[in-house]
Amino acid sequence: MFDCGKIAIIGGGSWATAIAKIVVEHTHHIGWYMRRDDRIEEFRRLGHNPAYLMSVRFNINEIEFSSDLNHIVQEYDTLVFVTPSPYLKNHLKKLKTRIKNKYIITAIKGIVPDENLICSEYFHQVYDVPYENLACLGGPSHAEEVALERLSYLTVACADEDKAQAFADVLSSDYIKTKTCTDVIGIEYSSVLKNVYAIAAGICSGLKFGDNFQAVLMANAVQEMARLLQAVHPIERNVYDSVYLGDLLVTGYSNFSRNRVFGSMIGKGYSVKSAQVEMEMIAEGYFGTKCMKEINRHLHVNMPILDAVYNILYERISPQIEIKLLTDSFR
């Protein structure tokens, strides 16, 4: 049976904090890379993340904090990356330590901009990490509910099922149920798309569409997702499993969803820039929309919801006009 060894968290946001909470409860020791030394010092002083999920208390003696990514990579066996996708390349540019023999788990729900690669493909192509050493973590789960220890279900995917199960065992608890599979590519792409569809849901909410239309939108979104997944990675999968459909629904409906909130602001008339400034948090779906649009230019999958969100965010077409065209295409 595979042993995850020493586990480190890479990233300091809300989802990173939630994962750190789950892991350290099991292992009683983690490494934790954060970019800012002042944030680390404040964390040590307060006993909680000073910026995210501040209600979650940690035993500081169980954590080795470091702003030196190379030190963390060198000292730890399993690396859980939980940085915003737009910043992943810049973080990794600091690396002088090889990571191809590490167990890499990506909990990043986005695509690496410019490269238009999901994170596992980026680690494989750029850092030569073999697929059997690459895993991803899927929802549905909001960091805020994990912090409150509300029952959540997580899926660990890896080509090596023993490795997937090993990390799933680390995560399992009274409030975290886990399962495993091998569909890393499908789960990563669905994690990107559900953020795009959550923006669409938010836009429609901002435009005062009701629950009836929201249900139609989500029904069409899961069909659109299924078409894309089959085009990029044609295997037998059930898109109605919780890691696909469940993650889509919680991101599209929940007020915890920053992508839905971002979309709602756009629907109410905010510009993209003003919505981003006011939120003070990154809506991954904004970047994911452009990446998926560029990827689909080569795949030619019918994706009207993606197209509508792209036109609103990047072509500055009126949300009222674009959503009206979208509603006419639904049945």
Side-chain angles (χ1 to χ4, degrees), residues 234-294:
I235 64 169
E236 186 174 338
R237 67 169 63 83
N238 184 358
V239 293
Y240 303 114
D241 280 351
S242 61
V243 73
Y244 307 103
L245 178 59
D247 206 11
L248 167 64
L249 293 177
V250 77
T251 311
Y253 281 109
S254 175
N255 290 327
F256 284 132
S257 169
R258 65 189 68 174
N259 290 283
R260 178 184 167 86
V261 170
F262 174 72
S264 179
M265 295 171 75
I266 299 298
K268 290 175 181 177
Y270 283 73
S271 68
V272 168
K273 187 171 184 178
S274 61
Q276 289 173 325
V277 168
E278 186 160 323
M279 280 185 65
E280 296 182 343
M281 296 178 78
I282 291 177
E284 292 266 17
Y286 171 73
F287 303 97
T289 297
K290 184 178 181 182
C291 294
M292 289 307 309
K293 178 71 172 179
E294 292 173 356

Side-chain angles (χ1 to χ4, degrees), residues 111-126:
I111 285 184
V112 181
D114 301 324
E115 309 295 332
N116 289 340
L117 293 171
I118 54 175
C119 296
S120 61
E121 290 178 332
Y122 185 74
F123 279 113
H124 178 71
Q125 292 187 21
V126 178

